[in-house]
Amino acid sequence: MTTQEKPLFTIAETPLLFSAVGCICGSFHSDEKGEESRFLHGILKTRDEREFRASVKRRDWEKWIRTGKIEPSEKNYWRVYFRTTRMGIITRIELLRVIKDPFPIPIEPKGEVIENPEDLFRMRGKILEIGEKGFALKIERNGFANEGSPELQYFYLNLKGELPSEAETDQFWEIMCIRDEDYLKLIKGRWINEKLTNNWDKELEKQGKIISVPPKNKKKQKPSQTAKKSPTESTVIESPIIMLNGKQPEMTVKFTERPELPEQGKKVTLQVTGENGIVVKAEVNRKTLAKQVQKMDSFADWVAAFSGKVLEITTDGVVILEAANVQVFQRKQKVKEEEKESNNDN
């Protein structure tokens, strides 16, 4: 029996990447007939005969049945989104996809392996409140709303269990839970503190998830005094957004070294070191960046602009951008003076 290539939970691409996903075993029973809504709603029955309200995209459900990926009457192992009530009861389960056999299956890359399907949940968020029998986690939306669109809403998860003694409110934690009847019970957690954050880039570089573009002039220089005196210097975890005259400043760095992209992954972290020694970093869509790299390969000479809004400056002087993008421009070949004079004579 072989192990699946994909683990249940992947390693986050950035330290402060919020998430709340689960894996739960059960059979879905729709209570809708003949309706044309986008979602099918019904009941998810677990192996211990618990019942939870659940939904699934209609087109996905119909496709899975048509292709024989699932048997509706049988229990499957599902990847899900979820919420909890204020009392901590699991609710609003959304079925995303089926996790296929065979087992055993790794929980995360280079992590432990489970022999049989277990109802596991992993969350990454800020601790809102710590009580005697449990705690609350605040899950914020990754990214930022576009101008004119509704603000991205956060939500809370109420969980059972006792956190380690160093846990405090407003800290960013990664939490693993198991389903305990109708509730989620803590089995392990870790604080994503400054020490872990400082080592994050090294680990991601090993996995090929950070694309580092060195400066053309490789001489290392110290960060500017502006970076050293940044108000975000105290911590990477809780740094406020930098504002100048009530607006978030933007920054553009030009580079001429072609980045090497990984073949897989939805997003990658692009890191560019400018000729002045300033390091700029941001998360970008891999496919979008790949299109710009194609332009680099098609142009005889080019220059790329890496730009975005300044989110923070770390203690090491690294500028973190948000809503970042890369644009590649073709450089026009300069006409030699001899050619100009020849054209003028004609």
Side-chain angles (χ1 to χ4, degrees), residues 109 161 202 212 267 313:
K202 295 179 182 178
S212 185
K267 292 187 177 182
I313 303 175

Side-chain angles (χ1 to χ4, degrees), residues 66-223:
R66 184 175 65 254
T67 58
K69 192 172 184 178
I70 63 170
E71 286 291 338
S73 59
E74 295 181 1
K75 287 182 170 59
N76 297 285
Y77 200 38
W78 300 96
R79 175 83 162 183
V80 303
Y81 289 147
F82 63 96
R83 298 286 191 273
T84 67
T85 66
R86 291 185 179 182
M87 300 300 293
I89 297 174
I90 303 170
T91 185
R92 292 175 60 185
I93 294 175
E94 181 184 344
L95 309 181
L96 302 176
R97 63 179 174 87
V98 179
I99 301 173
K100 301 294 287 184
D101 288 336
F103 281 87
I105 183 172
I107 295 177
E108 56 189 20
K110 300 181 181 179
E112 60 185 293
V113 173
I114 59 173
E115 298 293 334
N116 296 302
E118 291 187 75
D119 294 348
L120 295 172
F121 300 78
R122 190 191 71 177
M123 294 134 280
R124 304 182 84 249
K126 293 181 181 179
I127 297 176
L128 177 71
E129 187 178 52
I130 301 175
E132 294 182 2
K133 297 182 179 180
F135 59 99
L137 207 64
K138 181 181 180 181
I139 310 295
E140 298 180 10
R141 302 287 187 176
N142 297 310
F144 295 83
N146 296 324
E147 186 175 353
S149 64
E151 184 179 353
L152 295 175
Q153 295 294 313
Y154 52 80
F155 60 93
Y156 303 110
L157 296 173
N158 292 279
L159 313 169
K160 293 171 63 175
E162 185 176 350
L163 287 166
S165 58
E166 70 266 26
E168 297 179 1
T169 56
D170 290 331
Q171 290 177 345
F172 191 91
W173 277 67
E174 185 172 78
I175 302 294
M176 187 78 75
C177 287
I178 195 167
R179 184 177 62 83
D180 181 16
E181 295 184 343
D182 296 341
Y183 303 86
L184 295 179
K185 183 179 179 181
L186 173 73
I187 53 175
K188 65 178 181 180
R190 67 168 179 167
W191 172 27
I192 310 299
N193 54 27
E194 190 170 355
K195 182 178 179 180
L196 283 176
T197 301
N198 291 338
N199 293 327
W200 209 272
D201 289 353
K202 295 179 182 178
E203 292 298 320
L204 292 174
E205 282 176 352
K206 292 179 182 178
Q207 301 172 43
K209 290 185 177 179
I210 285 189
I211 306 167
S212 185
V213 180
K216 202 166 187 180
N217 178 8
K218 295 185 178 180
K219 185 177 179 181
K220 190 174 181 181
Q221 298 185 24
K222 295 181 180 180

Side-chain angles (χ1 to χ4, degrees), residues 44-58:
L44 181 68
K45 294 183 179 180
T46 63
R47 289 179 300 176
D48 57 351
E49 301 304 320
R50 295 282 171 173
E51 295 186 355
F52 298 94
R53 292 298 302 175
S55 64
V56 60
K57 288 182 180 178
R58 184 183 296 271

Side-chain angles (χ1 to χ4, degrees), residues 299-327:
F299 294 153
D301 194 13
W302 56 269
V303 61
F306 183 35
S307 59
K309 295 182 179 180
V310 178
L311 177 64
E312 62 177 295
I313 303 175
T314 71
T315 54
D316 297 326
V318 178
V319 181
I320 309 296
L321 303 180
E322 66 180 6
N325 64 79
V326 175
Q327 288 185 301

